[in-house]
Amino acid sequence: MNGDQRWRIGYFEGGEYTDYQKILIETVKGLMQKGWIDKVEVPDQEGEQTALFWQWLRGVDSKYIEFVEDAHYNAQWHETQRDQMAEEIVSRLNHENDIDLMIAMGTWAGKALSNDRHSTSTMVLSASDPLAAGIIKSVDDSGFDHIHATLDPNRYERQVRVFHDIVNFRNLGVAYENSDNGRSYAALDVIEKLSKERGFNIARCYTQSDIKDTAKAEASVVNCFEKLAPKVDAIYVTVQGGITSDSISKLVSIANKHRVPTFSQSGSEEVSKGFLLSLSQAGFRYVGEFHASTFAKVFNGALPNQLTQLFEEPPRMAVNLKTAEIVGFNPPLLLLGAADEVYREIPEE
């Protein structure tokens, strides 16, 4: 425990992204289940922000945890701002001693804080592949006593294998930002490995992802879908800044018009909006429970690097039957039997 003091928690994200809000909410719910925060109904949130949710967290009752009011940092997908913010956070951690644990949400924040320039316990959440991104040294060792990054090293390989098993595509469309981070988000090394192993082609299209202008990022993905859909027989919808609640309906419409099956790398939330398939995440509940359990062990005195970083999602499917009907895909009974999230509609734009 932290003596008689409450654990003071800070938060850093590269920018707004829909998964970040959901994962933070599910982690908080996990902490409520474990008794670290008094149970209360979490209100519906606006958009993809975490800043308003952080303000709400200021009012929750807890004998053990405090979400520090001025310790929510968002770099708005601006590289210079991210670097300046990281300097500010590291300086605060070293000199003010008013933060006991930092949440680094996503790859940008994880890379900025996973170093020995400070010694504050730092939990990296929602990094697509913290190993490939260089955030941690290995699955078993983050490289620093105070750093922990949750990872599921085989998640994307399971996704692409399942997608290929079900659809048996020959030409797989992939849209991603052609940068170190962009390739890491898209799990490109996994896709390339499986393309050799299974004999399918990769049709690539380059987007813009980690930029401040979200509309520009969204337009770049829409443009890529319009280029890819006529010439591929499946699209792997990769995690990136241009795939948002505003752009998904356009992307679904393009893929469905060309009767192209899609698989969401992000998860079942995007299947509910019209993509054909994903591995179910039960709304990130499982990973939220894992994070809460890890946080609890740190609160009880463990060093972050002493704890397992490995988290494997239960192997369940999410499928959109309306999309299946439009693209002419007849889901095998085995798939439906393994689905714990079945959607029958595509929301109106």
Short mmCIF file of all heavy atoms in Angstrom, two decimals, residues 55-82:
data_model
loop_
_atom_site.label_atom_id
_atom_site.label_comp_id
_atom_site.label_asym_id
_atom_site.label_seq_id
_atom_site.Cartn_x
_atom_site.Cartn_y
_atom_site.Cartn_z
N GLN A 55 -12.50 14.03 -15.68
CA GLN A 55 -13.11 14.99 -14.74
C GLN A 55 -14.18 14.31 -13.90
O GLN A 55 -14.31 14.57 -12.70
CB GLN A 55 -13.71 16.19 -15.52
CG GLN A 55 -12.67 17.12 -16.11
CD GLN A 55 -11.67 17.63 -15.08
OE1 GLN A 55 -12.05 18.10 -14.01
NE2 GLN A 55 -10.38 17.49 -15.37
N TRP A 56 -14.96 13.42 -14.52
CA TRP A 56 -15.98 12.68 -13.77
C TRP A 56 -15.32 11.79 -12.71
O TRP A 56 -15.80 11.68 -11.58
CB TRP A 56 -16.82 11.82 -14.73
CG TRP A 56 -17.84 10.98 -14.02
CD1 TRP A 56 -19.07 11.38 -13.57
CD2 TRP A 56 -17.70 9.60 -13.64
NE1 TRP A 56 -19.71 10.33 -12.95
CE2 TRP A 56 -18.90 9.23 -12.97
CE3 TRP A 56 -16.70 8.64 -13.81
CZ2 TRP A 56 -19.11 7.94 -12.47
CZ3 TRP A 56 -16.90 7.36 -13.30
CH2 TRP A 56 -18.09 7.02 -12.64
N LEU A 57 -14.18 11.18 -13.08
CA LEU A 57 -13.47 10.31 -12.13
C LEU A 57 -13.00 11.06 -10.89
O LEU A 57 -12.84 10.47 -9.82
CB LEU A 57 -12.26 9.66 -12.81
CG LEU A 57 -12.54 8.51 -13.78
CD1 LEU A 57 -11.26 8.10 -14.49
CD2 LEU A 57 -13.12 7.32 -13.03
N ARG A 58 -12.80 12.37 -11.03
CA ARG A 58 -12.38 13.19 -9.89
C ARG A 58 -13.41 13.10 -8.77
O ARG A 58 -13.06 13.26 -7.60
CB ARG A 58 -12.25 14.65 -10.32
CG ARG A 58 -11.14 14.92 -11.29
CD ARG A 58 -9.81 15.17 -10.61
NE ARG A 58 -9.89 16.22 -9.62
CZ ARG A 58 -9.63 16.08 -8.32
NH1 ARG A 58 -9.26 14.92 -7.85
NH2 ARG A 58 -9.73 17.10 -7.48
N GLY A 59 -14.67 12.83 -9.14
CA GLY A 59 -15.74 12.82 -8.14
C GLY A 59 -16.07 11.46 -7.57
O GLY A 59 -16.91 11.35 -6.68
N VAL A 60 -15.42 10.39 -8.06
CA VAL A 60 -15.74 9.07 -7.53
C VAL A 60 -15.11 8.89 -6.15
O VAL A 60 -14.06 9.47 -5.86
CB VAL A 60 -15.30 7.91 -8.47
CG1 VAL A 60 -15.97 8.02 -9.82
CG2 VAL A 60 -13.79 7.84 -8.60
N ASP A 61 -15.76 8.11 -5.32
CA ASP A 61 -15.27 7.89 -3.95
C ASP A 61 -14.32 6.71 -3.91
O ASP A 61 -14.61 5.65 -4.47
CB ASP A 61 -16.44 7.63 -3.00
CG ASP A 61 -17.29 8.88 -2.78
OD1 ASP A 61 -16.70 9.98 -2.76
OD2 ASP A 61 -18.52 8.75 -2.65
N SER A 62 -13.19 6.90 -3.27
CA SER A 62 -12.23 5.82 -3.09
C SER A 62 -11.33 6.16 -1.91
O SER A 62 -10.85 7.29 -1.80
CB SER A 62 -11.37 5.62 -4.33
OG SER A 62 -10.30 4.75 -4.05
N LYS A 63 -11.09 5.17 -1.07
CA LYS A 63 -10.14 5.37 0.04
C LYS A 63 -8.71 5.20 -0.46
O LYS A 63 -7.77 5.55 0.25
CB LYS A 63 -10.39 4.31 1.13
CG LYS A 63 -11.70 4.43 1.85
CD LYS A 63 -11.81 3.27 2.84
CE LYS A 63 -13.21 3.22 3.43
NZ LYS A 63 -13.42 1.99 4.20
N TYR A 64 -8.56 4.64 -1.65
CA TYR A 64 -7.24 4.18 -2.07
C TYR A 64 -6.66 4.91 -3.28
O TYR A 64 -5.45 4.92 -3.47
CB TYR A 64 -7.30 2.68 -2.40
CG TYR A 64 -7.98 1.85 -1.35
CD1 TYR A 64 -9.25 1.32 -1.58
CD2 TYR A 64 -7.37 1.63 -0.11
CE1 TYR A 64 -9.88 0.56 -0.59
CE2 TYR A 64 -8.00 0.88 0.88
CZ TYR A 64 -9.26 0.35 0.63
OH TYR A 64 -9.89 -0.39 1.60
N ILE A 65 -7.54 5.47 -4.12
CA ILE A 65 -7.09 6.01 -5.41
C ILE A 65 -7.60 7.43 -5.60
O ILE A 65 -8.73 7.74 -5.23
CB ILE A 65 -7.64 5.14 -6.58
CG1 ILE A 65 -7.11 3.71 -6.50
CG2 ILE A 65 -7.27 5.74 -7.93
CD1 ILE A 65 -7.78 2.79 -7.50
N GLU A 66 -6.76 8.25 -6.21
CA GLU A 66 -7.19 9.60 -6.61
C GLU A 66 -6.75 9.84 -8.05
O GLU A 66 -5.59 9.63 -8.40
CB GLU A 66 -6.54 10.63 -5.69
CG GLU A 66 -6.88 12.07 -6.04
CD GLU A 66 -6.16 13.07 -5.15
OE1 GLU A 66 -5.54 12.67 -4.14
OE2 GLU A 66 -6.21 14.26 -5.48
N PHE A 67 -7.69 10.24 -8.90
CA PHE A 67 -7.37 10.60 -10.28
C PHE A 67 -7.06 12.10 -10.28
O PHE A 67 -7.95 12.92 -10.08
CB PHE A 67 -8.55 10.26 -11.20
CG PHE A 67 -8.84 8.78 -11.24
CD1 PHE A 67 -9.77 8.20 -10.37
CD2 PHE A 67 -8.15 7.94 -12.12
CE1 PHE A 67 -10.02 6.84 -10.39
CE2 PHE A 67 -8.39 6.58 -12.15
CZ PHE A 67 -9.33 6.02 -11.28
N VAL A 68 -5.80 12.42 -10.49
CA VAL A 68 -5.33 13.80 -10.26
C VAL A 68 -5.86 14.74 -11.33
O VAL A 68 -5.72 14.49 -12.54
CB VAL A 68 -3.78 13.82 -10.22
CG1 VAL A 68 -3.28 15.25 -10.00
CG2 VAL A 68 -3.28 12.89 -9.11
N GLU A 69 -6.46 15.83 -10.86
CA GLU A 69 -7.20 16.73 -11.74
C GLU A 69 -6.37 17.27 -12.90
O GLU A 69 -6.79 17.24 -14.05
CB GLU A 69 -7.75 17.91 -10.93
CG GLU A 69 -8.64 18.82 -11.74
CD GLU A 69 -9.38 19.83 -10.88
OE1 GLU A 69 -9.03 20.00 -9.70
OE2 GLU A 69 -10.33 20.45 -11.41
N ASP A 70 -5.17 17.75 -12.62
CA ASP A 70 -4.37 18.37 -13.69
C ASP A 70 -3.33 17.40 -14.25
O ASP A 70 -2.31 17.81 -14.81
CB ASP A 70 -3.68 19.64 -13.16
CG ASP A 70 -2.65 19.33 -12.08
OD1 ASP A 70 -2.67 18.19 -11.54
OD2 ASP A 70 -1.82 20.22 -11.77
N ALA A 71 -3.60 16.09 -14.14
CA ALA A 71 -2.63 15.09 -14.63
C ALA A 71 -3.20 14.28 -15.78
O ALA A 71 -2.83 13.12 -15.98
CB ALA A 71 -2.19 14.18 -13.49
N HIS A 72 -4.13 14.87 -16.54
CA HIS A 72 -4.63 14.24 -17.76
C HIS A 72 -3.98 14.96 -18.94
O HIS A 72 -4.16 16.16 -19.14
CB HIS A 72 -6.16 14.37 -17.86
CG HIS A 72 -6.73 13.76 -19.11
ND1 HIS A 72 -6.65 14.39 -20.34
CD2 HIS A 72 -7.37 12.59 -19.33
CE1 HIS A 72 -7.22 13.63 -21.25
NE2 HIS A 72 -7.67 12.53 -20.67
N TYR A 73 -3.19 14.22 -19.72
CA TYR A 73 -2.43 14.81 -20.82
C TYR A 73 -2.86 14.19 -22.15
O TYR A 73 -2.93 12.96 -22.27
CB TYR A 73 -0.93 14.58 -20.63
CG TYR A 73 -0.34 15.23 -19.39
CD1 TYR A 73 -0.34 14.57 -18.17
CD2 TYR A 73 0.21 16.51 -19.46
CE1 TYR A 73 0.22 15.15 -17.03
CE2 TYR A 73 0.77 17.11 -18.34
CZ TYR A 73 0.76 16.43 -17.12
OH TYR A 73 1.31 17.02 -16.00
N ASN A 74 -3.11 15.04 -23.15
CA ASN A 74 -3.51 14.59 -24.49
C ASN A 74 -2.72 15.41 -25.51
O ASN A 74 -2.85 16.63 -25.58
CB ASN A 74 -5.02 14.80 -24.67
CG ASN A 74 -5.50 14.50 -26.08
OD1 ASN A 74 -4.72 14.20 -26.97
ND2 ASN A 74 -6.80 14.60 -26.30
N ALA A 75 -1.88 14.72 -26.31
CA ALA A 75 -1.01 15.43 -27.26
C ALA A 75 -1.70 15.75 -28.59
O ALA A 75 -1.10 16.33 -29.48
CB ALA A 75 0.25 14.60 -27.53
N GLN A 76 -2.98 15.36 -28.74
CA GLN A 76 -3.78 15.69 -29.93
C GLN A 76 -3.11 15.25 -31.24
O GLN A 76 -3.23 15.91 -32.26
CB GLN A 76 -4.09 17.19 -29.95
CG GLN A 76 -4.88 17.61 -28.71
CD GLN A 76 -5.22 19.08 -28.71
OE1 GLN A 76 -4.41 19.92 -29.12
NE2 GLN A 76 -6.40 19.40 -28.25
N TRP A 77 -2.42 14.12 -31.18
CA TRP A 77 -1.74 13.55 -32.35
C TRP A 77 -0.77 14.56 -33.00
O TRP A 77 -0.62 14.59 -34.21
CB TRP A 77 -2.73 13.01 -33.38
CG TRP A 77 -3.58 11.92 -32.83
CD1 TRP A 77 -4.93 11.88 -32.76
CD2 TRP A 77 -3.13 10.67 -32.25
NE1 TRP A 77 -5.37 10.71 -32.16
CE2 TRP A 77 -4.27 9.95 -31.85
CE3 TRP A 77 -1.88 10.09 -32.04
CZ2 TRP A 77 -4.20 8.69 -31.25
CZ3 TRP A 77 -1.80 8.85 -31.44
CH2 TRP A 77 -2.95 8.16 -31.06
N HIS A 78 -0.16 15.37 -32.17
CA HIS A 78 0.79 16.37 -32.66
C HIS A 78 2.17 15.99 -32.12
O HIS A 78 2.39 16.01 -30.91
CB HIS A 78 0.37 17.75 -32.17
CG HIS A 78 1.04 18.88 -32.86
ND1 HIS A 78 2.39 19.14 -32.71
CD2 HIS A 78 0.57 19.83 -33.71
CE1 HIS A 78 2.71 20.20 -33.43
NE2 HIS A 78 1.64 20.64 -34.05
N GLU A 79 3.10 15.64 -33.02
CA GLU A 79 4.39 15.09 -32.57
C GLU A 79 5.16 16.04 -31.67
O GLU A 79 5.70 15.64 -30.64
CB GLU A 79 5.26 14.71 -33.78
CG GLU A 79 4.86 13.39 -34.40
CD GLU A 79 5.88 12.89 -35.40
OE1 GLU A 79 7.03 12.63 -34.98
OE2 GLU A 79 5.53 12.75 -36.58
N THR A 80 5.23 17.31 -32.07
CA THR A 80 5.98 18.27 -31.25
C THR A 80 5.34 18.41 -29.89
O THR A 80 6.02 18.43 -28.86
CB THR A 80 6.02 19.65 -31.96
OG1 THR A 80 6.47 19.46 -33.30
CG2 THR A 80 6.95 20.60 -31.25
N GLN A 81 4.01 18.49 -29.89
CA GLN A 81 3.28 18.61 -28.62
C GLN A 81 3.51 17.38 -27.74
O GLN A 81 3.67 17.49 -26.53
CB GLN A 81 1.78 18.78 -28.91
CG GLN A 81 0.98 19.26 -27.71
CD GLN A 81 -0.40 19.73 -28.14
OE1 GLN A 81 -0.54 20.42 -29.14
NE2 GLN A 81 -1.41 19.37 -27.38
N ARG A 82 3.51 16.19 -28.39
CA ARG A 82 3.76 14.95 -27.63
C ARG A 82 5.13 15.01 -26.95
O ARG A 82 5.25 14.69 -25.76
CB ARG A 82 3.72 13.75 -28.58
CG ARG A 82 4.11 12.43 -27.90
CD ARG A 82 4.47 11.35 -28.90
NE ARG A 82 5.57 11.74 -29.76
CZ ARG A 82 5.92 11.09 -30.85
NH1 ARG A 82 5.24 10.03 -31.25
NH2 ARG A 82 6.94 11.49 -31.58
#
